[in-house]
Amino acid sequence: MKTNTKTLLVAAVAASALLAGCGKNGHSGASDSVAHLVKDAQARAKLDQWCSKDSTVTALANGDSAVATKCGRLDAANWFLKNPTMLALVDKPEPWAGKSQDFFQASANASMPGTQIVKSKIAIGATERDAWGQESSWCNAQFAWKHGSVPTFGTSAQDYKSVSPACVAAVGVTPPGPF
């Protein structure tokens, strides 16, 4: 009986070690997080090579959706490196936490002088005119950092729930002007 318990313990330890490795890249053993990829050029280069069109197409054809996730993180890391102002927002506090969609809509309207807009329910002061843009930028940076993918036109306001309620409100704004 002691031998079976010992064997089970060894098997459990081996299985947990194996599972712990599942969060790592099979190609390099390095973390796949956006934060790690932003800091580690060598990890980015290895993942970039791994995400080549041939391996991505083959993996997706075989039903390996993890490839899209890993390569999306690489895209997000590269996006941050090309946009240092967005990278700087990752560690900043939320600029307009707790504000409503009406507030951000009024801010968006006020930021577009010369366009014909419907009068807002909320009065916006000069310091609040850029609130919608500031919040939207901060939310996009947080979304990409957390989710490992850059938000696109298909990303809905509800997708921002994991970031903050104010992000849902800001992203739900209809931009003023001829769009």
Side-chain angles (χ1 to χ4, degrees):
M1 190 73 159
K2 287 184 181 182
T3 305
N4 289 340
T5 304
K6 188 175 184 180
T7 303
L8 288 174
L9 181 59
V10 169
V13 169
S16 67
L18 179 64
L19 287 173
C22 287
K24 306 285 184 182
N25 284 339
H27 62 279
S28 69
S31 171
D32 269 340
S33 73
V34 174
H36 178 78
L37 292 170
V38 164
K39 294 176 188 174
D40 189 341
Q42 213 170 24
R44 274 193 321 278
K46 286 180 182 179
L47 188 55
D48 187 47
Q49 185 176 20
W50 187 78
C51 288
S52 72
K53 288 182 181 178
D54 292 339
S55 65
T56 303
V57 169
T58 302
L60 291 175
N62 293 330
D64 186 0
S65 62
V67 171
T69 301
K70 286 181 181 184
C71 297
R73 288 184 188 130
L74 175 64
D75 291 343
N78 287 331
W79 179 73
F80 277 114
L81 292 169
K82 289 176 186 170
N83 298 288
T85 55
M86 295 304 279
L87 181 58
L89 294 175
V90 169
D91 294 327
K92 300 263 186 207
E94 186 171 9
W96 297 93
K99 296 296 185 180
S100 69
Q101 187 167 350
D102 287 339
F103 170 82
F104 290 118
Q105 186 66 61
S107 171
N109 293 347
S111 69
M112 298 294 283
T115 60
Q116 291 194 347
I117 54 175
V118 177
K119 186 159 173 108
S120 176
K121 302 176 209 172
I122 297 175
I124 294 293
T127 59
E128 298 168 324
R129 285 183 189 203
D130 293 330
W132 176 57
Q134 292 167 359
E135 185 73 14
S136 295
S137 293
W138 184 87
C139 294
N140 287 333
Q142 299 302 317
F143 183 93
W145 197 255
K146 281 184 173 188
H147 293 281
S149 64
V150 179
T152 63
F153 285 116
T155 308
S156 76
Q158 290 305 308
D159 293 333
Y160 285 80
K161 283 173 91 173
S162 65
V163 179
S164 86
C167 288
V168 174
V171 174
V173 164
T174 303
F179 292 105

